[in-house]
Amino acid sequence: MEIKGKICFVFLVFVVSATLSFGDHQGIVFAEKEQAVRKIVSQCHQSCQGSQGEQQRPQCFQSCMQKQLRESGKSQSGETYRPEPTYRPETGKQQSNSPYVFEEHDFTTRLETEHGFVKFLKKFTEQSEELFKGIEKYRAAILEAEPLTFIQPNHWDADALVFVANGRGILDLIEGNSRKSHNIKQGDLFLVPAGISAYLINTDENERLVLAKILHSVSVPGELQFFSGGGNADSFFNVFSREILEAAFGVERESIGRIFGQQKVEEAAFKKATPEQIRSLAGEDKGTLWPFGERKEKYLHTSIYEKEPSVANENGILHEFDSKDFSGLKDINVAFSFLNITQGSMAGPFYNTKATLVLMVTNGVGRFEMACPHLSEQASSRGEIHPRYKKVSSELRCGMEVVIPAGHPVVIKAFGEQNLEVVGFGLNSDENEWFPLAGRDNVMSQWEDTALELTFGFPAQEVQRVIKKQHKKLFFKAPVRSGRAFA
Amino acid sequence: MEIKGKICFVFLVFVVSATLSFGDHQGIVFAEKEQAVRKIVSQCHQSCQGSQGEQQRPQCFQSCMQKQLRESGKSQSGETYRPEPTYRPETGKQQSNSPYVFEEHDFTTRLETEHGFVKFLKKFTEQSEELFKGIEKYRAAILEAEPLTFIQPNHWDADALVFVANGRGILDLIEGNSRKSHNIKQGDLFLVPAGISAYLINTDENERLVLAKILHSVSVPGELQFFSGGGNADSFFNVFSREILEAAFGVERESIGRIFGQQKVEEAAFKKATPEQIRSLAGEDKGTLWPFGERKEKYLHTSIYEKEPSVANENGILHEFDSKDFSGLKDINVAFSFLNITQGSMAGPFYNTKATLVLMVTNGVGRFEMACPHLSEQASSRGEIHPRYKKVSSELRCGMEVVIPAGHPVVIKAFGEQNLEVVGFGLNSDENEWFPLAGRDNVMSQWEDTALELTFGFPAQEVQRVIKKQHKKLFFKAPVRSGRAFA
Amino acid sequence: MEIKGKICFVFLVFVVSATLSFGDHQGIVFAEKEQAVRKIVSQCHQSCQGSQGEQQRPQCFQSCMQKQLRESGKSQSGETYRPEPTYRPETGKQQSNSPYVFEEHDFTTRLETEHGFVKFLKKFTEQSEELFKGIEKYRAAILEAEPLTFIQPNHWDADALVFVANGRGILDLIEGNSRKSHNIKQGDLFLVPAGISAYLINTDENERLVLAKILHSVSVPGELQFFSGGGNADSFFNVFSREILEAAFGVERESIGRIFGQQKVEEAAFKKATPEQIRSLAGEDKGTLWPFGERKEKYLHTSIYEKEPSVANENGILHEFDSKDFSGLKDINVAFSFLNITQGSMAGPFYNTKATLVLMVTNGVGRFEMACPHLSEQASSRGEIHPRYKKVSSELRCGMEVVIPAGHPVVIKAFGEQNLEVVGFGLNSDENEWFPLAGRDNVMSQWEDTALELTFGFPAQEVQRVIKKQHKKLFFKAPVRSGRAFA
């Protein structure tokens, strides 16, 4: 089965499994008054915490909100399941030539077997040394594992902040004399520090497990090394002579020869497991979520749905998670956000004060537009001294990644018939904030009248009428005419 | 009016306005006993804190010290106003070829209108990748605004530590749903974090507002991007399509078209304001100084005169401000110092343990000399294994900048008939200290007798006679023969 | 006397002085049960703390352990003095071509006189920009001083973490108006912050003082500048004109001329001192060990024998010291370790999670083997997607340095007739841990049975028999056949 490239992993899941309920996200409509929305968010949060198992929480939350909002009389859509999206981007044809946009061919696949693979986005500095030197330590990656798959124990020379974009499974983290086992599911966020040995299991019989990762290299900036000491011929144990291993393990030569180096390389990282093996691995009473657990300062494991969204209205929901939530994120200087933009809606314009935002599209299609002074720096060599902004824009499809540098105003728009879901990793996020440039709390809303007059050259009242009209925050209804047409 | 280049901004102010009292700095003479000076400093500090308005404090302080010191019977000079300095450096003729010295032509002017401009020193690594790689994140800049000028709201992708070198005005910092307004005046120091939207007003009718800045880039090391969303044709809002802005602001197309993009680019950043507009902007009861205010951990706003000088004698005053005073400086790893060297006096030799010092001359003329092992590294390729120090030196004039790396001994000397005023930004200042190499507390003063004997090859008493004679600290009377002659 | 290059400094010491008791380290044999060893360690620690002077503590500790262990009936060797090691490596002949291995010719000697020298390992990035960019701020160095030698006061633009590999002496640290004097001896560890002026004395009449250092450059990454203001012609004071020095010191011209610049350059850094001068310098009641003293947050001075070893068995002892022991190490992001591997034994396989380990051999001979995915990255350009590990290995001799990057499994083996002593500086050590890959607490020992089966393709019991047999931790008996033969 050809699984990489070309089409979005989530779209693929639709094909693979007819039982998934991904459509639940769509058609969610929120009450206009955010106050009301927040109340609903809170109610759904509580009601889904109680009786049901952890496994179902995200679905529960989304369904709950949909139901509540529908009852509040504002629902526009009853459709919750769309087995086949009607919008099919002709991928591969319209490639962006912007250095800020990364597409399928910018990824390299590694460790691939028929049961899964990891694909790494190329080094940011390989795309542009000039633009991305400040984020050279980071790499983006996506892991996909087929149903009922075991990913062999391994460690990396990089810290990994991981978001479960789809599916469910088990993550085991090992340190010398202890092992912690975590049930993970869509919407979970966890941090695996560099060098910590881990194994992973897709326990679902139907759904693919999809992880979106940002990696913080600890050794050479942007370089990632993988270490696996399993039984295959390429295990790192096999570089040591038999005598050394014999002495280290204190066993006879024959046992060493049998255990190490017998399996084929091709069976290395991703392996099919039987339902019995999965049950055995899932058998334990798996621990509670961290950082609510004991070793909170070291490991992170939470669900983004455990925390109230930062912004939620009928046009979208923003989930955020940063070093104020878990101090360990300060070490890797990364913050997490997740934007669920309702179909036909948009997020922004807004900007981040300090962080460079790496966006990964995990569902839906859309478009982004960014105001970018970088591309016009030649101007100053022509003697021009005033900045000129150019528009950087591109369609957004599942699996694409986009980099939004600090300070740059951006708009993200959802089209098609699904919500646009975007994971945002904020790199160098220490002390970062984001500010809206339109709608409620936009930066202009606090300017004094005289400042408005001097800036816009119009009477303050006239300017106020424009900048204070919109009461929603961050998420708005997108322009009514075809979003695809604007350019 | 041609304002940039060639001559010092402060010198220019003398020409522009006959009312300024800059001359007050000069001719200040201090009592020999530092104890006495400290007492005077303290008294003047208190007496100027009380009855008078904040606006006049620095002038008050300088006048007070002058008066007190004169009364203590040591005054050498009654002159306090010199409308025209008699020393006129023939700038542009003697250019330094040292990589540590930056002159007028090393700056690039941006955002210039007839009402003001910002000029940026070139990237340190553009001058020398080899020498300045450790400070590549930083850029130095100077902003100058004519009287009664409004600088349009904007944000940068860099944290800015700003010293008010001349004039007074108002600074408004905006974050989403709040705005803080600050009266600023000569001697004030403030920090504007990256991405924080700000506008600035020169409220004075006669004096130019001059800001000396160090910028800490958060995105690409040493690269600075400016973002302004005003009403001019080059506003970043104009990269977004009208439909997007219409939807974001929730207003009809015509209003968008009217507000954004109507003004000429040339009117962009610096705009003349009428006295009425200035009064309106200055009308509010502006807040108290930070970090004494509430949000002390985020913003900094203080006057260097609020804190007792670290060193003060008749030959000079040193003001210092670092992360122990305001923890936010730790994030950008910068410390601030201000040296006011009395005419005919000198500072040093001294060195910084960890910080690289970027000096900006804001008044007067002088000369610096630095002991530098860097320039003789070829020696080791010739097989020489002992360090040889070379002298790096240059005249100092208003507007020049000089880089003094960590560990390098330096002397700064004031000549001419004004005090030499130098702003020092200490880059990578974490845990930095400075040590004097002569005078009180010099590092040799603690060596044991045997160490002195072994090091100098003379009986300890003879060496002690030399290294312990000088009782002053840091600032000394300069050599009597023409300082310009030594080379 | 030709002292640099070719042969290990410790070996040399054997030749120079017949009184040394270095052989004490050898032949130490520990009880099998680590519990028992720990008890002995603790007893020896206490008994050596009490009655004896600080000078003798390390020897006391080693002797004590040897005695105790012999009494516990396990001693294999009574030999404690070997004036001439029988293994003589033919250095210079078998040079490694691995970028991870540094030999004598990779050092540059500086400041050499007949009484001592400092030698610097070349910049790591000079060896390989690609592999060592992450540690470019660091440099390794070794200082050696002949008996009764005074090292003239100086400061560097780098923080130095220093281990006393051999000998004893006095270190004086100076800051403006204070000086702290420290007795140092073999096994001591201290930190000299950048810019702190220091002088050093080898007080011993017979033994060479040998310091192993890691330097953390604060100015230009990897560049080190040395500043010495002594009386020699190359003193940095001599770049300043006589008039300036006259004014700064407040003395007449003649005194300046006499004191500065009279001595020959060749006498610069390392100077012979008479026994009387040494006694005079050693006369003071030297202070207690830090960080147990008052200014604990700034300076570090401790003995590695003050703290219980992390691991100790008959095959080796591991001493560790990191930022949890002294918070000042966090600033330079370095941890310290010292491995004393019993002859015929080995350490590992193990790996570090985050730190890059720089190993410096201070005694003995041996060999290391490392599993390294770096060298096979070309593979992926050939379309291969699975990692292949190559063995990087080399003999280890006194004075060699080896770099072990984060995550890389490594084995270190002692051969010959001495213990192999290795200093390990862990660079970028924040949050670092090390994990064993064999023996007690190895990472596989916590895997679930099903994980073992899936990884190794064998029944769990069979795998468990191999990975759980060895009960020792980290240090094991090496293979019985000639260690030198395995390749």
Side-chain angles (χ1 to χ4, degrees):
Chain A
M1 179 174 50
E2 168 62 24
I3 46 178
K4 59 171 178 162
K6 299 196 184 74
I7 44 171
C8 165
F9 50 80
V10 177
F11 172 70
L12 229 202
V13 170
F14 276 83
V15 174
V16 168
S17 156
T19 67
L20 90 176
S21 55
F22 241 71
D24 288 10
H25 291 256
Q26 299 150 29
I28 296 178
V29 186
F30 293 83
E32 284 252 355
K33 280 192 177 160
E34 216 172 275
Q35 218 47 9
V37 171
R38 289 197 170 276
K39 201 177 160 195
I40 291 172
V41 165
S42 170
Q43 285 170 352
C44 289
H45 187 67
Q46 277 177 27
S47 78
C48 290
Q49 196 107 34
S51 52
Q52 296 181 301
E54 265 188 31
Q55 212 61 252
Q56 281 75 41
R57 265 190 225 166
Q59 279 78 5
C60 167
F61 179 78
Q62 297 283 3
S63 304
C64 167
M65 291 199 68
Q66 201 169 9
K67 184 158 163 282
Q68 293 277 337
L69 290 162
R70 199 181 296 129
E71 283 173 6
S72 79
K74 301 275 183 180
S75 178
Q76 297 173 335
S77 160
E79 298 174 62
T80 59
Y81 176 59
R82 280 179 195 76
E84 188 143 333
T86 54
Y87 173 75
R88 286 180 167 281
E90 301 94 88
T91 52
K93 291 181 185 168
Q94 327 128 272
Q95 285 180 3
S96 167
N97 57 3
S98 163
Y100 298 99
V101 178
F102 296 83
E103 302 192 67
E104 194 58 44
H105 62 267
D106 294 311
F107 287 87
T108 304
T109 302
R110 281 180 72 180
L111 309 177
E112 185 172 16
T113 74
E114 59 180 315
H115 307 297
F117 61 89
V118 185
K119 58 181 187 181
F120 291 89
L121 194 60
K122 67 178 166 188
K123 289 167 72 172
F124 293 117
T125 49
E126 196 184 316
Q127 180 93 327
S128 169
E129 174 82 22
E130 194 188 329
L131 292 176
F132 300 132
K133 202 181 169 189
I135 56 171
E136 65 174 352
K137 277 193 170 183
Y138 299 96
R139 289 288 287 277
I142 291 168
L143 176 147
E144 299 193 30
E146 292 296 313
L148 300 180
T149 293
F150 173 76
I151 296 123
Q152 188 166 301
N154 62 73
H155 69 267
W156 291 86
D157 62 350
D159 306 296
L161 181 63
V162 185
F163 177 69
V164 184
N166 193 57
R168 60 193 181 95
I170 294 168
L171 171 74
D172 282 274
L173 300 176
I174 297 129
E175 282 191 286
N177 53 8
S178 77
R179 180 173 52 81
K180 282 276 181 183
S181 193
H182 306 261
N183 284 317
I184 58 171
K185 63 185 176 309
Q186 193 208 327
D188 279 10
L189 188 67
F190 56 89
L191 178 70
V192 180
I196 296 301
S197 194
Y199 54 89
L200 187 67
I201 307 120
N202 181 352
T203 54
D204 200 277
E205 300 197 8
N206 298 301
E207 284 211 47
R208 189 179 285 194
L209 178 65
V210 180
L211 307 181
K213 303 181 177 192
I214 204 84
L215 293 137
H216 173 257
S217 56
V218 301
S219 206
V220 184
E223 292 291 338
L224 303 173
Q225 302 299 335
F226 171 85
F227 296 89
S228 174
N232 54 297
D234 264 353
S235 161
F236 59 63
F237 278 114
N238 284 310
V239 306
F240 300 112
S241 56
R242 288 288 150 92
E243 290 78 14
I244 287 284
L245 296 178
E246 214 179 306
F249 286 98
V251 294
E252 68 291 6
R253 195 182 182 91
E254 293 65 35
S255 304
I256 293 296
R258 259 177 73 82
I259 298 299
F260 296 107
Q262 292 296 306
Q263 296 191 75
K264 277 179 293 178
V265 171
E266 290 68 31
E267 292 172 359
F270 291 79
K271 284 179 180 155
K272 194 77 188 175
T274 64
E276 293 71 38
Q277 287 173 318
I278 296 293
R279 265 195 298 279
S280 155
L281 289 163
E284 290 189 34
D285 180 19
K286 305 294 175 176
T288 49
L289 287 184
W290 292 343
F292 314 105
E294 10 168 344
R295 304 187 59 178
K296 60 190 269 201
E297 285 316 306
K298 178 147 193 191
Y299 295 110
L300 157 73
H301 179 204
T302 190
S303 165
I304 62 167
Y305 302 112
E306 294 284 319
K307 192 187 157 192
E308 199 177 330
S310 307
V311 181
N313 65 31
E314 64 183 338
N315 300 111
I317 307 179
L318 169 67
H319 296 274
E320 291 183 292
F321 203 86
D322 65 19
S323 62
K324 286 189 288 292
D325 300 299
F326 175 65
S327 66
L329 289 176
K330 200 161 183 116
D331 295 335
I332 62 168
N333 212 356
V334 175
F336 178 84
S337 57
F338 183 74
L339 294 99
N340 185 333
I341 307 173
T342 309
Q343 50 171 317
S345 300
M346 68 184 194
F350 69 93
Y351 71 94
N352 281 280
T353 58
K354 301 211 175 184
T356 295
L357 198 61
V358 173
L359 299 175
M360 303 169 76
V361 183
T362 57
N363 196 36
V365 291
R367 187 172 184 83
F368 88 100
E369 301 195 355
M370 174 169 73
C372 188
H374 272 289
L375 300 182
S376 59
E377 274 202 296
Q378 314 89 297
S380 82
S381 65
R382 290 200 306 270
E384 293 177 27
I385 58 175
H386 298 283
R388 292 183 184 275
Y389 302 96
K390 290 221 171 109
K391 181 191 295 192
V392 169
S393 67
S394 168
E395 289 203 12
L396 295 174
R397 295 180 305 274
C398 268
M400 280 179 64
E401 310 223 355
V402 169
V403 179
I404 313 292
H408 290 55
V410 67
V411 169
I412 306 165
K413 191 177 170 307
F415 23 92
E417 288 153 0
Q418 301 180 54
N419 284 7
L420 177 64
E421 297 179 7
V422 182
V423 167
F425 291 107
L427 311 183
N428 300 324
S429 62
D430 193 28
E431 303 291 323
N432 184 60
E433 296 180 85
W434 60 267
F435 293 129
L437 290 163
R440 187 149 64 77
D441 294 343
N442 80 67
V443 293
M444 291 176 288
S445 64
Q446 294 298 320
W447 300 1
E448 291 154 289
D449 282 354
T450 309
L452 289 172
E453 276 169 31
L454 280 160
T455 301
F456 288 98
F458 284 95
Q461 288 93 319
E462 191 167 340
V463 181
Q464 294 278 23
R465 264 209 337 262
V466 172
I467 63 179
K468 291 202 166 159
K469 180 152 187 239
Q470 177 65 271
H471 287 292
K472 286 182 186 167
K473 185 165 180 176
L474 186 61
F475 297 106
F476 314 110
K477 186 150 181 28
V480 284
R481 40 156 141 177
S482 167
R484 294 175 68 191
F486 75 72
Chain B
M1 177 174 53
E2 168 60 26
I3 47 178
K4 57 169 180 165
K6 301 196 182 74
I7 44 171
C8 165
F9 49 80
V10 177
F11 172 68
L12 229 203
V13 169
F14 277 82
V15 173
V16 168
S17 156
T19 67
L20 88 175
S21 55
F22 241 72
D24 289 10
H25 291 256
Q26 300 151 28
I28 297 178
V29 185
F30 293 84
E32 284 252 356
K33 279 191 175 162
E34 217 173 273
Q35 219 46 11
V37 171
R38 289 196 171 275
K39 201 177 160 195
I40 291 173
V41 165
S42 170
Q43 285 170 352
C44 289
H45 188 65
Q46 276 177 26
S47 78
C48 290
Q49 198 108 33
S51 54
Q52 296 182 300
E54 265 186 30
Q55 214 58 252
Q56 281 76 43
R57 266 190 224 166
Q59 279 79 5
C60 168
F61 180 78
Q62 298 283 3
S63 304
C64 168
M65 291 200 68
Q66 202 169 6
K67 184 158 163 281
Q68 293 277 336
L69 290 162
R70 199 181 295 133
E71 285 174 4
S72 79
K74 302 272 181 181
S75 178
Q76 297 173 335
S77 160
E79 299 173 61
T80 58
Y81 175 58
R82 280 181 196 75
E84 188 143 333
T86 54
Y87 174 76
R88 286 181 168 281
E90 302 93 89
T91 52
K93 291 182 185 167
Q94 327 129 273
Q95 285 181 3
S96 167
N97 57 2
S98 162
Y100 298 99
V101 178
F102 296 83
E103 303 193 67
E104 194 56 45
H105 62 268
D106 294 312
F107 286 88
T108 306
T109 302
R110 281 180 73 181
L111 308 177
E112 185 172 15
T113 74
E114 58 179 314
H115 307 297
F117 61 89
V118 186
K119 58 181 186 180
F120 292 90
L121 194 61
K122 66 179 168 186
K123 290 167 72 172
F124 293 116
T125 49
E126 197 183 316
Q127 180 93 328
S128 169
E129 175 82 23
E130 194 188 327
L131 293 176
F132 301 132
K133 202 181 169 190
I135 56 171
E136 65 174 352
K137 278 192 169 183
Y138 299 97
R139 288 288 286 277
I142 290 168
L143 176 147
E144 299 192 30
E146 291 296 314
L148 301 181
T149 293
F150 173 77
I151 296 124
Q152 189 167 299
N154 62 72
H155 70 267
W156 290 87
D157 63 348
D159 306 295
L161 181 62
V162 185
F163 177 69
V164 184
N166 193 56
R168 61 192 181 97
I170 295 168
L171 171 74
D172 283 274
L173 300 175
I174 298 130
E175 281 192 287
N177 53 7
S178 77
R179 179 173 53 82
K180 282 275 182 184
S181 193
H182 306 261
N183 284 317
I184 59 171
K185 63 185 175 307
Q186 194 209 327
D188 279 10
L189 188 66
F190 56 88
L191 178 69
V192 180
I196 296 300
S197 195
Y199 55 89
L200 187 67
I201 306 120
N202 181 352
T203 54
D204 200 277
E205 299 197 8
N206 299 303
E207 282 211 47
R208 190 178 286 193
L209 178 65
V210 180
L211 308 181
K213 303 182 178 192
I214 205 83
L215 293 137
H216 173 257
S217 56
V218 301
S219 208
V220 184
E223 293 291 338
L224 303 173
Q225 302 299 335
F226 171 85
F227 296 89
S228 173
N232 54 297
D234 264 354
S235 160
F236 60 62
F237 277 114
N238 283 311
V239 306
F240 300 112
S241 56
R242 289 287 151 92
E243 291 79 14
I244 287 285
L245 295 178
E246 213 179 307
F249 286 97
V251 294
E252 68 291 5
R253 195 183 183 90
E254 292 67 35
S255 304
I256 293 296
R258 260 177 72 83
I259 298 299
F260 296 107
Q262 292 295 307
Q263 295 191 77
K264 278 179 293 177
V265 171
E266 290 67 31
E267 293 172 357
F270 290 79
K271 284 178 180 156
K272 193 77 188 175
T274 64
E276 293 72 39
Q277 286 173 318
I278 296 293
R279 265 195 298 279
S280 155
L281 288 162
E284 290 187 36
D285 181 20
K286 304 295 175 177
T288 50
L289 287 184
W290 290 343
F292 315 106
E294 11 168 343
R295 303 188 61 177
K296 62 190 267 203
E297 284 316 306
K298 180 147 191 189
Y299 295 110
L300 157 73
H301 179 203
T302 191
S303 164
I304 62 166
Y305 302 111
E306 293 283 318
K307 192 188 159 191
E308 200 176 331
S310 307
V311 181
N313 64 31
E314 63 181 340
N315 300 112
I317 307 178
L318 170 68
H319 296 275
E320 291 183 291
F321 203 87
D322 65 17
S323 62
K324 286 189 287 293
D325 299 299
F326 176 65
S327 67
L329 289 176
K330 200 162 183 117
D331 295 335
I332 63 168
N333 212 356
V334 175
F336 178 84
S337 56
F338 184 74
L339 295 98
N340 185 334
I341 307 173
T342 309
Q343 49 170 317
S345 300
M346 67 184 194
F350 69 94
Y351 70 93
N352 281 278
T353 57
K354 300 212 176 184
T356 295
L357 197 61
V358 174
L359 299 176
M360 304 169 76
V361 182
T362 57
N363 196 37
V365 291
R367 186 173 184 83
F368 87 100
E369 300 194 356
M370 173 170 73
C372 189
H374 273 288
L375 299 183
S376 59
E377 272 203 297
Q378 314 91 296
S380 82
S381 67
R382 290 201 307 270
E384 295 175 25
I385 58 175
H386 298 284
R388 293 183 184 273
Y389 301 95
K390 289 221 171 109
K391 180 190 294 193
V392 169
S393 67
S394 168
E395 289 204 12
L396 296 176
R397 295 180 304 275
C398 268
M400 280 178 64
E401 311 223 352
V402 168
V403 179
I404 313 292
H408 290 54
V410 67
V411 168
I412 305 166
K413 190 175 170 310
F415 22 93
E417 289 154 359
Q418 301 180 54
N419 284 6
L420 177 64
E421 297 179 7
V422 183
V423 167
F425 290 108
L427 312 184
N428 300 323
S429 62
D430 193 27
E431 303 290 324
N432 185 59
E433 296 180 86
W434 61 266
F435 294 129
L437 290 164
R440 187 150 62 79
D441 293 344
N442 80 66
V443 293
M444 290 176 290
S445 64
Q446 294 299 318
W447 298 2
E448 292 154 288
D449 282 353
T450 309
L452 288 171
E453 274 169 34
L454 281 161
T455 302
F456 288 98
F458 284 95
Q461 288 94 318
E462 191 169 341
V463 182
Q464 294 278 22
R465 264 210 336 264
V466 172
I467 63 179
K468 291 202 167 159
K469 176 149 190 244
Q470 177 65 270
H471 287 292
K472 286 185 186 167
K473 184 164 181 177
L474 186 60
F475 297 106
F476 315 111
K477 187 150 180 28
V480 283
R481 41 156 139 178
S482 167
R484 294 175 68 190
F486 75 73
Chain C
M1 177 173 53
E2 168 62 24
I3 47 177
K4 58 168 179 165
K6 300 198 185 72
I7 44 171
C8 166
F9 50 80
V10 177
F11 172 70
L12 229 203
V13 169
F14 277 82
V15 173
V16 168
S17 156
T19 67
L20 89 175
S21 55
F22 242 72
D24 289 10
H25 291 256
Q26 299 151 28
I28 298 177
V29 186
F30 293 83
E32 283 253 355
K33 278 191 176 160
E34 215 172 275
Q35 219 47 11
V37 172
R38 290 197 170 275
K39 201 177 160 196
I40 291 172
V41 165
S42 169
Q43 285 170 351
C44 289
H45 188 66
Q46 277 177 26
S47 77
C48 290
Q49 196 106 34
S51 53
Q52 297 180 301
E54 264 187 31
Q55 213 61 251
Q56 281 74 42
R57 265 190 224 165
Q59 279 79 4
C60 167
F61 180 77
Q62 298 282 4
S63 304
C64 168
M65 291 198 70
Q66 202 169 7
K67 183 158 164 283
Q68 293 277 336
L69 291 163
R70 199 181 294 131
E71 284 173 6
S72 79
K74 302 274 183 180
S75 179
Q76 295 174 337
S77 160
E79 298 174 62
T80 58
Y81 175 59
R82 279 181 195 77
E84 188 144 334
T86 54
Y87 174 77
R88 286 181 168 280
E90 303 94 88
T91 52
K93 291 182 185 167
Q94 329 128 272
Q95 285 181 4
S96 167
N97 57 2
S98 162
Y100 298 99
V101 178
F102 296 84
E103 303 193 67
E104 194 56 45
H105 62 268
D106 294 311
F107 286 86
T108 304
T109 301
R110 281 180 73 180
L111 308 177
E112 184 172 16
T113 75
E114 57 180 316
H115 307 297
F117 61 89
V118 186
K119 59 181 186 180
F120 291 90
L121 194 61
K122 66 178 166 187
K123 289 168 71 173
F124 294 117
T125 49
E126 196 184 316
Q127 179 94 326
S128 169
E129 174 82 23
E130 195 188 328
L131 292 176
F132 300 132
K133 203 182 168 189
I135 56 170
E136 65 175 352
K137 279 191 170 183
Y138 300 97
R139 290 289 286 279
I142 290 169
L143 176 147
E144 300 192 31
E146 292 296 314
L148 300 181
T149 293
F150 173 75
I151 295 124
Q152 188 166 300
N154 62 73
H155 69 267
W156 290 86
D157 62 349
D159 306 295
L161 181 62
V162 185
F163 177 69
V164 185
N166 193 56
R168 60 193 180 96
I170 294 168
L171 171 73
D172 283 273
L173 300 175
I174 297 130
E175 283 191 285
N177 53 7
S178 77
R179 179 173 53 82
K180 282 275 182 183
S181 194
H182 306 261
N183 283 317
I184 58 172
K185 63 185 175 307
Q186 193 208 327
D188 279 10
L189 188 65
F190 55 88
L191 178 68
V192 180
I196 296 300
S197 194
Y199 56 87
L200 186 68
I201 306 121
N202 180 351
T203 54
D204 200 277
E205 299 197 9
N206 297 301
E207 282 211 49
R208 190 178 286 194
L209 178 65
V210 181
L211 308 181
K213 303 182 177 192
I214 204 82
L215 293 136
H216 173 257
S217 56
V218 302
S219 208
V220 184
E223 292 292 338
L224 302 174
Q225 302 299 335
F226 171 84
F227 296 89
S228 174
N232 55 298
D234 263 353
S235 161
F236 60 65
F237 278 114
N238 284 310
V239 308
F240 300 112
S241 55
R242 290 287 151 92
E243 291 78 13
I244 287 284
L245 295 178
E246 213 179 308
F249 287 97
V251 293
E252 68 291 5
R253 194 182 183 93
E254 292 65 38
S255 304
I256 294 295
R258 260 176 73 83
I259 300 297
F260 296 107
Q262 293 296 306
Q263 294 190 77
K264 278 179 293 177
V265 171
E266 290 67 32
E267 294 172 357
F270 291 79
K271 284 179 180 155
K272 193 77 187 174
T274 63
E276 294 70 39
Q277 286 173 318
I278 296 292
R279 266 195 298 279
S280 155
L281 288 163
E284 289 188 36
D285 181 19
K286 304 295 175 176
T288 50
L289 287 183
W290 290 343
F292 314 105
E294 9 167 346
R295 304 188 60 178
K296 61 191 266 206
E297 285 315 306
K298 179 146 192 191
Y299 295 111
L300 157 72
H301 178 205
T302 191
S303 164
I304 62 167
Y305 302 112
E306 294 283 319
K307 193 187 155 191
E308 200 177 330
S310 307
V311 181
N313 65 30
E314 64 182 339
N315 300 111
I317 307 179
L318 170 67
H319 295 275
E320 292 184 291
F321 202 86
D322 65 18
S323 62
K324 287 189 287 291
D325 299 299
F326 175 65
S327 67
L329 289 176
K330 200 160 183 118
D331 295 336
I332 63 168
N333 212 357
V334 175
F336 178 84
S337 56
F338 183 74
L339 294 98
N340 185 334
I341 307 173
T342 308
Q343 50 171 317
S345 300
M346 68 184 193
F350 69 93
Y351 70 94
N352 280 278
T353 58
K354 300 210 175 186
T356 295
L357 198 61
V358 173
L359 299 176
M360 304 169 75
V361 182
T362 56
N363 195 36
V365 292
R367 188 173 182 83
F368 88 101
E369 301 195 356
M370 174 170 72
C372 188
H374 273 287
L375 300 182
S376 60
E377 272 202 299
Q378 315 89 298
S380 81
S381 66
R382 291 200 307 269
E384 293 175 27
I385 58 174
H386 298 284
R388 292 182 184 275
Y389 302 95
K390 291 221 170 107
K391 180 191 295 195
V392 169
S393 67
S394 168
E395 289 203 11
L396 295 175
R397 296 180 304 276
C398 268
M400 281 179 65
E401 310 224 355
V402 168
V403 179
I404 313 292
H408 290 54
V410 67
V411 169
I412 305 165
K413 190 176 171 309
F415 24 92
E417 290 154 358
Q418 300 180 54
N419 284 6
L420 177 64
E421 296 180 7
V422 183
V423 167
F425 290 108
L427 311 183
N428 300 323
S429 62
D430 193 27
E431 303 290 322
N432 183 61
E433 296 180 87
W434 62 266
F435 293 129
L437 290 163
R440 186 150 62 77
D441 294 343
N442 80 66
V443 293
M444 291 176 290
S445 64
Q446 294 298 319
W447 299 1
E448 292 154 288
D449 282 353
T450 311
L452 288 171
E453 275 169 33
L454 280 160
T455 300
F456 289 98
F458 284 95
Q461 289 93 318
E462 191 167 341
V463 182
Q464 295 277 22
R465 262 208 341 260
V466 172
I467 62 178
K468 292 203 166 157
K469 179 150 188 243
Q470 176 65 271
H471 287 292
K472 286 184 185 166
K473 185 165 180 175
L474 186 60
F475 296 106
F476 314 110
K477 188 152 181 24
V480 284
R481 40 155 139 179
S482 165
R484 294 175 67 191
F486 75 74

